[in-house]
Amino acid sequence: MGKSRTKKTSLSLWLGFAIVIGVLFCGYLLFGKPLGSLEASPSSNEKVLYEIPKNTSLSSLAQDLHAKGLIAFPEVFKVFFKLTGREKHIRAGFYYLPPRNSVVGMGAELRSENMATHTVTIPEGKASWEIYGIFKRYFSLDSVAFDSLVHDSSFALSLGIKAPGVEGYLFPDTYILPWRITEQDVLRCMVNRFQEVTAMLPPDSEVLKQYGTHGWVTLASIVEKEAAVSSEKRLIAGVFYNRLQQGWSLGADPTTRFALRKLTGPLSEADLDVNSPYNTRLYSGLPPGPVCNPGREALMAALQPQKTKMMFFVAKDDGSREHYFSSSNLEHNAFKALAAANRQRRQEELDSLSRNTSAPSDKTLSDTQNTGSVIHPTNTRISAAP
């Protein structure tokens, strides 16, 4: 009897020990990490950029992760992902992964919210080729393909835009994008954002009724380029709307700059006389399309221009970035003279500063150039009515 009880106790101990060992072994398989890595030294804690190509099978993924030293047990990885249903949620793309990870830990890492991304900010008022230049810093994009898509009416229509292209419909915003992206993806993302934002704007607008969506976006793009301060956008839109109603030319030099792709620096007389439908000094009405990609404020301003009697405006050139507004040509000419005096005074201040400084710092020179009105007064003016 005593021997039987002793044998049962011994068997129970061995069984308990086996269970503990089994649990520890399973835990090791699930939570154990590889001892080394082909791509990172054992002491490295720096995450590595890892790509899951499209159509990668679970088996191939497990073997590749193991080969790169990122997991220890590829077969356990496959079983774990199948049993937990994680296999269905693996997305192709780039991930930042710890140099060595357990099977369970890798399951937590390979989630869509952990995908490697770039955060890109597009400011208001940029032309499509400027937007390309910004994205080019982060992605391998082709300039010809990008520009071709921008001006492809079929591509625009596929995105719900009834226009010759998507210039003007690339909404300026901060975008969080996958590590690798195509030209189509970039443009689609920006157009989708434009549609999201504009869907929330009030639909009742005389501008929309008279000029349609494309005309409205075109007007907004001109307002965006002309207005340096937000408080003036609706008033500037009101001036342009008045001139359109009177059949006057808009006289907005940003449209000519767009045609010439000359976005900075002074415009010559030859530039201002260029025979282009975008030259709103020569041709009345709106140009054929947007001259930049406007933000929400400019879109709203063009949608509901301020009611005003003003017909002209000219940059003050006093450092405020504001404009003088007037309702008559006589008053407009007086303001132009005042703006010229402001430029002259600022130039004299700059000359005085230069004489009193033996070696001007780069920052001072850079700041002066960025004003656009000290050395080279801006050519953005509303001309007198014909």
Side-chain angles (χ1 to χ4, degrees):
M1 196 75 169
K3 289 184 178 181
S4 176
R5 187 179 295 112
T6 301
K7 186 179 289 187
K8 287 182 179 180
T9 300
S10 178
L11 184 61
S12 297
L13 287 173
W14 278 108
L15 182 60
F17 180 73
I19 291 173
V20 170
I21 293 298
V23 169
L24 290 175
F25 182 68
C26 289
Y28 174 66
L29 292 179
L30 289 172
F31 296 97
K33 297 181 180 181
L35 297 178
S37 168
L38 297 180
E39 297 189 352
S41 65
S43 61
S44 173
N45 292 318
E46 193 172 323
K47 289 191 174 185
V48 296
L49 185 64
Y50 181 82
E51 182 186 10
I52 300 180
K54 289 184 178 180
N55 302 318
T56 299
S57 68
L58 181 62
S59 180
S60 297
L61 175 61
Q63 293 302 325
D64 191 58
L65 288 170
H66 176 63
K68 289 181 168 61
L70 297 173
I71 59 171
F73 308 107
E75 295 303 321
V76 177
F77 176 89
K78 288 191 292 182
V79 172
F80 175 74
F81 267 63
K82 286 181 178 179
L83 290 178
T84 58
R86 295 175 186 266
E87 179 184 15
K88 300 175 182 178
H89 302 290
I90 296 176
R91 287 183 57 189
F94 288 83
Y95 297 80
Y96 276 118
L97 301 177
R100 293 166 302 283
N101 217 329
S102 67
V103 168
V104 173
M106 188 61 72
E109 293 289 343
L110 294 180
R111 300 170 66 92
S112 59
E113 60 265 29
N114 291 336
M115 292 183 71
T117 58
H118 284 299
T119 300
V120 185
T121 298
I122 305 298
E124 292 88 348
K126 295 297 183 183
S128 58
W129 62 86
E130 294 179 288
I131 290 174
Y132 165 79
I134 295 173
F135 278 116
K136 182 64 176 176
R137 302 171 196 167
Y138 302 89
F139 305 104
S140 179
L141 301 176
D142 182 80
S143 60
V144 175
F146 190 93
D147 192 64
S148 178
L149 285 168
V150 167
H151 299 98
D152 186 335
S153 59
S154 297
F155 177 66
L157 189 60
S158 72
L159 301 179
I161 302 298
K162 297 179 181 179
V166 295
E167 186 79 75
Y169 301 87
L170 306 176
F171 192 77
D173 205 344
T174 296
Y175 294 90
I176 300 176
L177 300 168
W179 193 265
R180 182 176 292 169
I181 197 169
T182 67
E183 295 82 7
Q184 292 94 330
D185 293 334
V186 168
L187 297 173
R188 184 179 295 108
C189 182
M190 297 189 76
V191 170
N192 287 345
R193 183 62 181 142
F194 170 88
Q195 292 166 331
E196 289 174 1
V197 172
T198 55
M200 296 183 287
L201 299 181
D204 186 28
S205 167
E206 287 300 317
V207 172
L208 275 177
K209 291 176 183 176
Q210 293 184 50
Y211 303 103
T213 299
H214 195 59
W216 158 51
V217 177
T218 299
L219 177 58
S221 72
I222 302 173
V223 171
E224 186 71 82
K225 296 301 289 184
E226 290 280 17
V229 293
S230 297
S231 59
E232 290 187 346
K233 287 183 178 179
R234 288 193 64 229
L235 182 53
I236 288 176
V239 172
F240 283 135
Y241 183 72
N242 288 347
R243 293 177 74 92
L244 287 170
Q245 296 303 103
Q246 294 296 323
W248 293 5
S249 63
L250 297 183
D253 291 345
T255 61
T256 303
R257 289 184 178 278
F258 177 82
L260 297 171
R261 290 203 172 194
K262 186 178 182 180
L263 303 181
T264 60
L267 291 173
S268 67
E269 290 299 322
D271 291 335
L272 296 173
D273 290 335
V274 65
N275 186 16
S276 166
Y278 281 92
N279 189 339
T280 52
R281 285 177 178 246
L282 298 181
Y283 296 94
S284 60
L286 290 168
V291 298
C292 75
N293 292 274
R296 188 185 186 283
E297 286 186 352
L299 288 164
M300 188 64 190
L303 194 65
Q304 297 182 335
Q306 182 174 325
K307 292 184 178 180
T308 179
K309 293 182 180 180
M310 301 296 109
M311 299 293 291
F312 309 86
F313 62 84
V314 60
K316 292 181 178 180
D317 280 338
D318 61 354
S320 68
R321 306 178 76 202
E322 297 176 345
H323 296 80
Y324 295 120
F325 294 85
S326 52
S327 59
S328 69
N329 193 29
L330 182 65
E331 190 180 15
H332 177 58
N333 286 333
F335 279 137
K336 287 201 293 184
L338 181 56
N342 291 339
R343 286 197 302 275
Q344 179 63 31
R345 184 180 68 255
R346 296 191 71 205
Q347 184 65 59
E348 290 172 355
E349 292 172 354
L350 178 64
D351 293 341
S352 176
L353 179 63
S354 298
R355 286 193 297 271
N356 294 331
T357 306
S358 57
S361 68
D362 290 341
K363 183 178 186 300
T364 301
L365 295 174
S366 174
D367 290 346
T368 299
Q369 292 165 354
N370 286 341
T371 64
S373 60
V374 178
I375 298 176
H376 299 300
T378 177
N379 283 305
T380 301
R381 301 286 185 269
I382 291 294
S383 60

